[in-house]
Amino acid sequence: MPHSPLDCLLLPEWLVPVEPAGVVLRNYAIGIRDDRIALIAPREQALKTPCADVRELPNTLLTPGLINAHGHAAMSLFRGLADDLPLQTWLNEHIWPAEAQCTELAIAEQLKNGVSCFSDMYFFPEIVCQQVHSSGIRAQITVPMLDFPVPGARNSAEALRQGLQLFDDFKQHPRLTIGFGPHAPYTVGDQGLDNIVMLAAQLDAPVQMHVHETAFEVQQSIEKYGERPLARLARLGLLGPRFQAVHMTQVNDDDIALLVQSNSSVIHCPESNLKLASGFCPVERLWSAGVNVAIGTDGAASNNNLDLLGETRTAALLAKAVAQSASALDAHRALRMATLNGARALGIDTQTGSLEVGKLADMTAFNFNDLSVQPVYDPVSQLIYAAARNCVEHVWVGGKQLLKDRQLVRMDEQKIIANSQQWARKISNKSNS
Ligand SMILES: [Zn+2]
């Protein structure tokens, strides 16, 4: 139906679809119908399609929505908050509202930073799912697993039972993917991992895990198991196209071979690795070998912002230093890492991650009016090396606009700020008492 009406037709100055790679389209238009991209064509041709809502976006770069492939939205709220209370009181009156509030804050910050999709690993994933549902953002939520008691579950078996309920509750959700989040090779034993291998295969579910974050972790595994953590995970059957290895700062040739053979993804968190002095993920080496590398901000305790654009800039600069080559991780590949590679890691790359007809309309518009990004030769180069998150002007998720003229459409920013300040007072009173 080439001429059925569009819901919306956008006319950005530059359109960067990410796939095909390296392309910058000028004088093009992109049309949305329902939740999908229905048309990408030169303006004159596109304007022949009926549409009641045609929007000029001068000085604007339109890209796929950014994908933050690893984080912990509600981190750091629990410390000292509501100790010494009965479990149910603690959960109902303190932890759940605090987690909901913190997640709402993280989602609002990410939307304002151009993020259309994020992955989360933390306690109480059901609360995060509710916030994702009401906010309109897209997400992968992983069920956390550790071999010792965690808030909300006495052991890994109980956490797993609670997690399985989420697969039932959100199986059909258009914006949510539920996965497993075994914390790390040193916090989950073979039996727990065996369970995850079996369940992930049954449910065709993604698995995200911190792997090879530090040299100490690798050394400890060699002492305890006689093998590196990644080799142990491969032996247990955990690696595969749905496996997401977060960090990977310790990488040898055998590790790369395992990642390539299994088609697993790596999620690079450069600022967390820098802040904690964990080591350097060799992004260029992994990429050249054919490993899919995505990017994440990690949680608030190891990276004090959820600025994926800034994170991508750090990644592009760090990759050059680590590879000792100025051409390592160029701007276009850095943007791909923050979009399509993220989608591929999360197993949703047939649906999102690039601007292609038929894919979901998940898009971010960056305004280049600011003098800090003038003049523009290659808008992608400006985006990665010069622009800051305050250039983010609009965000759409599944064709719905969630950020418009830098304002949140569905969420009340002033209320979120006021609530956060109220919680901060509560937490600091508690920890000072
Ligand atoms: Zn993490």
Side-chain angles (χ1 to χ4, degrees):
M1 295 192 297
H3 289 296
S4 64
L6 297 165
D7 296 334
C8 177
L9 186 68
L10 304 173
L11 311 175
E13 185 100 27
W14 305 275
L15 185 70
V16 173
V18 171
E19 183 63 45
V23 168
V24 178
L25 301 170
R26 288 197 77 154
N27 295 315
Y28 264 66
I30 183 162
I32 305 169
R33 190 181 299 121
D34 301 324
D35 58 348
R36 308 254 158 195
I37 297 167
L39 170 145
I40 297 175
R43 282 183 184 205
E44 280 177 26
Q45 189 189 325
L47 285 165
K48 290 176 187 159
T49 308
C51 181
D53 184 10
V54 178
R55 289 188 231 170
E56 281 279 358
L57 300 173
N59 278 317
T60 297
L61 164 65
L62 194 77
T63 71
L66 304 181
I67 297 181
N68 185 0
H70 177 70
H72 311 274
M75 194 175 242
S76 77
L77 253 184
F78 301 111
R79 197 180 20 204
L81 172 70
D83 292 332
D84 308 325
L85 290 169
L87 179 68
Q88 270 315 310
T89 313
W90 185 75
L91 288 175
N92 290 333
E93 293 173 21
H94 299 271
I95 295 304
W96 284 337
E99 164 129 349
Q101 177 55 42
C102 200
T103 305
E104 193 181 25
L105 176 66
I107 291 173
E109 182 185 346
Q110 295 194 84
L111 285 171
K112 292 201 80 176
N113 292 348
V115 171
S116 62
C117 176
F118 71 103
S119 180
D120 199 66
M121 178 197 284
Y122 212 54
F123 311 122
F124 312 115
E126 62 277 18
I127 307 285
V128 185
C129 287
Q130 291 301 340
Q131 293 293 330
V132 169
H133 173 73
S134 58
S135 68
I137 202 166
R138 194 176 306 287
Q140 167 185 274
I141 305 302
T142 61
V143 176
M145 271 198 71
L146 293 150
D147 273 351
F148 41 85
V150 297
R154 281 180 301 250
N155 51 44
S156 59
E158 190 171 295
L160 205 56
R161 260 197 310 281
Q162 291 169 357
L164 291 176
Q165 185 61 41
L166 290 181
F167 284 93
D168 285 343
D169 294 349
F170 294 101
K171 198 162 41 190
Q172 305 296 339
H173 198 283
R175 289 181 282 102
L176 261 170
T177 311
I178 310 293
F180 294 100
H183 169 260
Y186 56 92
T187 49
V188 188
D190 286 7
Q191 200 190 335
L193 293 175
D194 280 342
N195 278 340
I196 290 179
V197 169
M198 186 183 69
L199 288 165
Q202 265 173 22
L203 296 161
D204 190 23
V207 179
Q208 185 173 96
M209 189 174 197
H210 300 102
V211 186
H212 291 201
E213 183 170 359
T214 61
F216 176 70
E217 170 195 336
V218 175
Q219 191 50 42
Q220 211 185 20
S221 172
I222 291 169
E223 283 163 19
K224 187 170 175 189
Y225 297 101
E227 56 194 344
R228 291 165 73 82
L230 195 74
R232 174 173 159 244
L233 300 180
R235 176 172 56 76
L236 294 170
L238 207 60
L239 305 193
R242 311 293 310 264
F243 186 74
Q244 307 157 16
V246 181
H247 294 309
M248 290 303 294
T249 71
Q250 314 298 315
V251 175
N252 67 17
D253 289 345
D254 292 341
D255 298 327
I256 293 182
L258 286 174
L259 292 166
V260 171
Q261 281 159 20
S262 63
N263 204 9
S264 302
S265 287
V266 166
I267 295 166
H268 178 36
C269 301
E271 293 186 5
S272 166
N273 297 156
L274 286 165
K275 189 163 181 247
L276 300 175
S278 306
F280 306 109
C281 173
V283 172
E284 189 70 13
R285 251 176 90 206
L286 291 169
W287 194 305
S288 319
V291 178
N292 180 55
V293 186
I295 184 163
T297 56
D298 213 348
S302 49
N303 177 351
N304 298 21
N305 62 52
L306 301 174
D307 176 4
L308 199 73
L309 188 59
E311 194 82 28
T312 305
R313 179 171 186 263
T314 302
L317 298 177
L318 187 64
K320 297 173 206 318
V322 170
Q324 298 185 6
S325 161
S327 58
L329 197 62
D330 62 72
H332 282 263
R333 287 199 291 148
L335 178 61
R336 193 179 186 86
M337 184 165 77
T339 54
L340 190 56
N341 288 11
R344 189 173 153 198
L346 306 188
I348 52 174
D349 54 319
T350 59
Q351 297 299 309
T352 187
S354 56
L355 303 181
E356 297 178 74
V357 172
K359 276 195 167 181
L360 292 160
D362 293 356
M363 309 180 293
T364 298
F366 300 90
N367 189 311
F368 279 2
N369 272 334
D370 199 82
L371 62 82
S372 62
V373 283
Q374 296 298 323
V376 181
Y377 301 108
D378 176 352
V380 177
S381 192
Q382 286 302 68
L383 178 70
I384 301 300
Y385 297 119
R389 52 177 154 169
N390 60 9
C391 288
V392 175
E393 182 104 343
H394 311 294
V395 175
W396 290 263
V397 177
K400 300 263 186 321
Q401 190 160 9
L402 301 185
L403 188 76
K404 187 175 188 184
D405 302 320
R406 306 178 192 209
Q407 301 296 317
L408 294 163
V409 176
R410 286 203 198 174
M411 304 170 93
D412 183 340
E413 187 168 350
Q414 291 312 317
K415 199 171 142 204
I416 293 170
I417 292 171
N419 284 343
S420 302
Q421 288 168 346
Q422 200 190 336
W423 273 106
R425 275 194 295 275
K426 211 168 175 173
I427 292 168
S428 55
N429 287 343
K430 182 76 193 170
S431 53
N432 293 338
S433 62

